[in-house]
Amino acid sequence: MPRLRRFALVRTGNAAEADDMVQATLMRAWERRSQFEDGTNLVAWLFTILRNTHLNQRKRLRREVEDVDGAFAGALSSAPDQEHRMALFELQAALDDLPVEQRETLLLVTVDGLRHEDAAAILGCQVGTVNSRVSRARERLAIALGLS
């Protein structure tokens, strides 16, 4: 569940929405457990359900107003008081600046530890696409964080 929640957070950017999405994913998986094929990757199956759940929710909520410029969210935050928090914010900002496809792919492979083949199945793309997205995301992060 932590891996699903992390992936949901990447997709939504909102902890409450992510929790709801994980719950919906687990409910759908339970309801459709007879469709799971023995010998296949359960984690990849759950990630696929989560991704499809998110895409379906986005279709339904297209008319919802977002805090695009972050003005409302910015008013709610407090200044960081520790050095590691600043580094975490810098990393999060660099991740947020990545294209969605690169961010999703990078986190599936590096944080969740999925094989490139499993990530490709979840994202509905070729393994080579996963390889290039991860490589480009790493390069962009290194540049953004001043490591390259």
Side-chain angles (χ1 to χ4, degrees), residues 20-31:
D20 291 344
M21 194 178 341
V22 169
Q23 183 177 2
T25 298
L26 295 174
M27 291 296 293
R28 280 196 177 92
W30 180 254
E31 291 167 357

Side-chain angles (χ1 to χ4, degrees), residues 7 11 21 25 46-57 104 108 121-124:
F7 186 57
R11 294 195 67 90
M21 194 178 341
T25 298
L46 290 172
F47 274 107
T48 301
I49 293 172
L50 188 138
R51 181 175 178 269
N52 291 339
T53 298
H54 181 249
L55 293 174
N56 291 337
Q57 286 176 352
E104 278 181 348
L108 283 173
I122 291 167
L123 298 170

Side-chain angles (χ1 to χ4, degrees), residues 74-92:
L76 297 175
S77 65
S78 60
D81 55 349
Q82 296 178 356
E83 195 171 304
H84 68 277
R85 249 178 124 184
M86 286 298 294
L88 183 61
F89 285 141
E90 289 173 9
L91 175 61
Q92 186 63 54

